[in-house]
């Protein structure tokens, strides 16, 4: 085992300390690279912040435009709905007037009796009374004919 330890020591390169001047040059260049990288990252962050602000501004503008359009559409729809309500009310009034006119015309033509017949079919007692009244004149007519 001692042989393997000594062999690994022989293979490993020896670290030689550098002089302080030689140490400074690579460190200062590395610091300069890091500062440059930092500046680039800060610049990119600022650009992204500006892009985000522009995007938010455009989005806010679009939202306002859409809200205004929706508001106008809502107003227009409400006006149309009110117009339709008014037209339906006029139509209802017209239909009621026509129904009343038809009922009056039927009464004038003497067809009101038909509606009474319809009521009698709903009320069986009225039918019995009407049948008795109608049979009495028929008997009188037969008596008149025989004389």
């Amino acid at each position: 085992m001692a042989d393997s330890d000594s062999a690994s020591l022989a293979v490993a390169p020896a670290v030689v300390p550098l002089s302080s001047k030689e140490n400074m040059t690579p460190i200062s260049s590395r610091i300069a690279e890091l500062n440059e990288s930092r500046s680039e990252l800060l610049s990119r962050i600022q650009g992204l912040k500006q892009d985000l602000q522009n995007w938010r501004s455009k989005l806010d503008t679009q939202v306002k435009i859409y809200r205004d359009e929706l508001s106008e559409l809502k107003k227009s729809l409400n006006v149309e709905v009110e117009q339709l309500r008014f037209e339906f009310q006029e139509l209802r009034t017209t239909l009621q007037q026509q129904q009343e006119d038809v009922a009056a015309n039927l009464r004038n033509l003497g067809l009101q009796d038909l509606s009474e017949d319809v009521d009698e079919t709903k009320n069986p007692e009225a039918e019995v009374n009407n049948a008795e009244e109608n049979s009495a004149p028929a008997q009188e007519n037969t008596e008149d004919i025989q004389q």
Side-chain angles (χ1 to χ4, degrees), residues 48-63:
L48 290 172
K49 284 182 179 180
Q50 186 65 37
D51 289 347
L52 179 62
Q53 188 176 9
N54 290 340
W55 181 78
R56 282 182 177 169
S57 175
K58 288 178 183 177
L59 185 62
D60 288 343
T61 302
Q62 280 301 113
V63 167

Side-chain angles (χ1 to χ4, degrees), residues 82-98:
E82 285 301 316
Q83 181 64 31
L84 286 173
R85 284 182 181 157
F86 178 75
E87 289 175 8
F88 277 121
Q89 184 60 39
E90 285 182 337
L91 183 61
R92 182 181 295 135
T93 304
T94 302
L95 288 174
Q96 288 173 346
Q97 184 62 43
Q98 287 176 351

Side-chain angles (χ1 to χ4, degrees), residues 4 18 74 98 106 113-114 133:
S4 65
L18 297 174
K74 185 178 177 182
Q98 287 176 351
L106 288 175
D113 292 338
L114 292 177
E133 291 174 5

Side-chain angles (χ1 to χ4, degrees), residues 27 32 126:
I27 291 176

Side-chain angles (χ1 to χ4, degrees), residues 17 25 35 39 76 84 114 132:
T25 306
N35 283 337
S39 296
S76 174
L84 286 173
L114 292 177
E132 291 173 359

